[in-house]
Amino acid sequence: MENFKQNLEKYADLAVKVGVNVQKGQTLVVNASLDAAEFVRLVVKNAYETGAKHVYVNWNDDTVNRYKYDLAPDEAFTEFPEWKAREMETLAENGAAFMSIVSASPDLLKGVNPERIANFQKAAGQAMDKYRSYIQSDKVSWSVLAAPSEKWAAKVFPDAPAEEQVDRLWDAIFKAVRADQADPVQAWKDHDQNLHEKVDYLNSKNYKKIHYTAPGTDLTIEFPEGYMWVGAGSVSEQNVKFMANMPTEEVFTVPLKTGVNGTVSSTKPLSYGGNVIDNFKLTFKDGRIVEVQAEEGEDILKRLVETDEGSHFLGEVALVPHQSPISQSNVLFYNTLFDENASNHLAIGSAYAFCVEGGKKMSKDELEKAGLNNSITHVDFMIGSAEMDIDGITEDGKTEPVFRNGDWAF
């Protein structure tokens, strides 16, 4: 693949300097698959050259993970190692940065008893609750990126010759994260600025609610007092700028927990728990999911909604134009990190504390009183299309266009 090594080095540089933005003397924690070993080594080297004090890599492997789901006893999925949760909490409390490099096959757990998957998601979610609260309040800098695996690449490019599939996926990832550009770091600064213009406009409007219409979708979402739209870059407690997702094309905020009404239909498959959920529809009443239908993976989706009380509600509202670069690439990634940046999306589960004024310093109870949802899960699903219109509704009931035909209307 032409320029592969050069683009891989640029990508590692972006991950370290723009993604987590490693500071001198800081610890970096990298969670990655063995499939990403070559990329991870470049990230580690770059992090130390940038001034990191320690870089800890937690490796995982699809084959090992599948063996566990196929062969371990049922009770193995109701437990989560407490030491692992404590380790992540302690590292976060000591100011570490966290990078996740995702590579898993979307079909990794196809055919596994859905109860095992649900039990593990619940056990892990409960154990990692405190660490997740640190992430969702931007206490630390964190970033999620991706690197191909053979099985993931085969799912995305099934018609390409087997020996070309991984290269094709690398190419698509490089484009999506701007690593193929002459100066990727500058390209990200410009991109951050563009998204902030949308954020500033929406915050100046301070809509009371928004209304979505599209085939199979008629949904109204109300917002809590003091809510804020945010996009692209975030700032940690240590005042360090970072990019939580690479790629990112979204501006997002939090819904009022009890303020969601109507029906919404998915427009892309959702890869969740090692399975694909597709062609699904959710119906809401006063914020709560009251009906779930799916052509594929309905049982998995119903178990996701039943994870805890908060998984019956939404925690995120995100706007992404259908004209976004990832959407225009016409690549279906079967990976939420990418597919959510090709489409308007919502998230089942917990809300980001930093999307409400003063939220970063609020306790869990205070956030709930402010109307934000709390859950041990947070799962994005895609609802946007070229046929979607969105209207902003002001405090006095006036309606203004926000999206028309899947694109910004301002």
Side-chain angles (χ1 to χ4, degrees):
M1 203 166 109
E2 217 182 319
N3 299 330
F4 173 73
K5 200 163 171 13
Q6 192 181 2
N7 285 342
L8 198 65
E9 284 176 353
K10 284 185 188 174
Y11 188 22
D13 197 49
L14 271 178
V16 171
K17 295 190 173 72
V18 176
V20 287
N21 191 5
V22 166
Q23 301 295 294
K24 201 167 176 54
Q26 191 176 26
T27 292
L28 172 64
V29 180
V30 180
N31 298 301
S33 162
L34 294 177
D35 294 286
E38 185 182 0
F39 178 53
V40 171
R41 289 178 193 125
L42 285 175
V43 165
V44 172
K45 180 172 180 279
N46 195 301
Y48 279 126
E49 287 170 350
T50 304
K53 182 186 193 177
H54 300 291
V55 183
Y56 300 126
V57 181
N58 298 321
W59 295 104
N60 61 72
D61 176 64
D62 271 12
T63 306
V64 169
N65 292 342
R66 179 69 200 221
Y67 282 155
K68 178 168 184 174
Y69 276 94
D70 285 343
L71 303 170
D74 286 343
E75 60 266 26
F77 301 96
T78 61
E79 301 168 356
F80 188 88
E82 202 175 300
W83 57 266
K84 194 177 273 191
R86 295 296 87 77
E87 176 190 41
M88 297 298 267
E89 287 167 22
T90 305
L91 284 160
E93 285 155 7
N94 289 319
F98 297 85
M99 185 187 297
S100 292
I101 301 167
V102 295
S103 304
S105 160
D107 295 320
L108 175 63
L109 302 183
K110 196 171 187 174
V112 168
N113 180 347
E115 195 175 348
R116 288 183 159 222
I117 297 168
N119 284 345
F120 175 76
Q121 298 284 356
K122 196 167 185 172
Q126 287 168 340
M128 299 294 276
D129 191 39
K130 192 173 183 183
Y131 168 71
R132 190 187 315 98
S133 75
Y134 291 157
I135 294 289
Q136 294 195 328
S137 61
D138 282 351
K139 179 181 172 68
V140 295
S141 36
W142 56 282
S143 191
V144 183
L145 310 95
S149 63
E150 284 182 16
K151 285 185 178 167
W152 178 24
K155 179 84 174 175
V156 180
F157 297 108
D159 300 330
E163 65 276 10
E164 288 177 21
Q165 289 167 338
V166 168
D167 285 352
R168 291 273 299 273
L169 186 49
W170 267 123
D171 205 31
I173 290 171
F174 288 151
K175 278 192 174 67
V177 299
R178 298 171 168 79
D180 61 339
Q181 300 197 15
D183 186 349
V185 173
Q186 186 57 47
W188 270 91
K189 283 181 182 164
D190 296 343
H191 178 49
D192 192 20
Q193 183 58 43
N194 290 340
L195 283 179
H196 271 285
E197 285 169 15
K198 303 297 183 195
V199 164
D200 292 344
Y201 175 86
L202 288 167
N203 281 333
S204 73
K205 287 290 179 183
N206 193 30
Y207 291 120
K208 176 79 175 155
K209 51 179 92 162
I210 56 175
H211 179 218
Y212 297 77
T213 46
T217 292
D218 183 356
L219 188 74
T220 304
I221 297 180
E222 196 177 334
F223 299 115
E225 287 284 321
Y227 80 97
M228 297 181 294
W229 292 92
V230 297
S234 304
V235 181
S236 74
E237 204 177 70
Q238 292 87 14
N239 210 27
V240 173
K241 277 191 161 185
F242 66 95
M243 206 63 69
N245 286 355
M246 299 183 83
T248 184
E249 302 289 338
E250 63 179 332
V251 302
F252 63 96
T253 189
V254 286
L256 177 67
K257 179 179 176 175
T258 54
V260 184
N261 286 282
T263 298
V264 67
S265 295
S266 68
T267 52
K268 287 181 185 288
L270 167 62
S271 175
Y272 171 76
N275 283 266
V276 172
I277 304 166
D278 202 5
N279 292 327
F280 58 93
K281 187 179 275 197
L282 300 175
T283 303
F284 294 83
K285 186 171 187 336
D286 299 329
R288 192 179 185 88
I289 297 169
V290 291
E291 197 179 338
V292 177
Q293 293 169 286
E295 281 180 24
E296 185 182 346
E298 185 172 281
D299 196 19
I300 302 276
L301 182 58
K302 283 181 171 171
R303 286 172 188 273
L304 162 59
V305 172
E306 292 293 332
T307 303
D308 63 4
E309 177 58 19
S311 55
H312 292 79
F313 298 84
L314 294 181
E316 181 187 335
V317 178
L319 302 181
V320 180
H322 188 67
Q323 301 302 318
S324 86
I326 297 170
S327 177
Q328 295 307 296
S329 75
N330 288 320
V331 175
L332 177 60
F333 283 88
Y334 290 97
N335 180 296
T336 304
L337 176 63
F338 293 88
D339 293 335
E340 73 169 11
N341 285 300
S343 170
N344 287 320
H345 55 276
L346 304 170
I348 290 169
S350 60
Y352 289 110
F354 54 78
C355 287
V356 68
E357 277 173 43
K360 288 186 185 187
K361 293 192 161 55
M362 285 185 190
S363 68
K364 208 177 272 188
D365 286 348
E366 288 169 331
L367 288 166
E368 284 193 29
K369 278 189 191 132
L372 274 66
N373 190 34
N374 175 43
S375 171
I376 60 171
T377 195
H378 178 99
V379 178
D380 299 272
F381 64 97
M382 287 58 77
I383 63 166
S385 71
E387 299 169 279
M388 177 165 272
D389 290 345
I390 304 174
D391 289 304
I393 302 165
T394 60
E395 192 76 55
D396 58 6
K398 201 166 123 216
T399 299
E400 298 175 352
V402 174
F403 264 55
R404 285 294 177 266
N405 302 317
D407 212 347
W408 294 109
F410 56 84

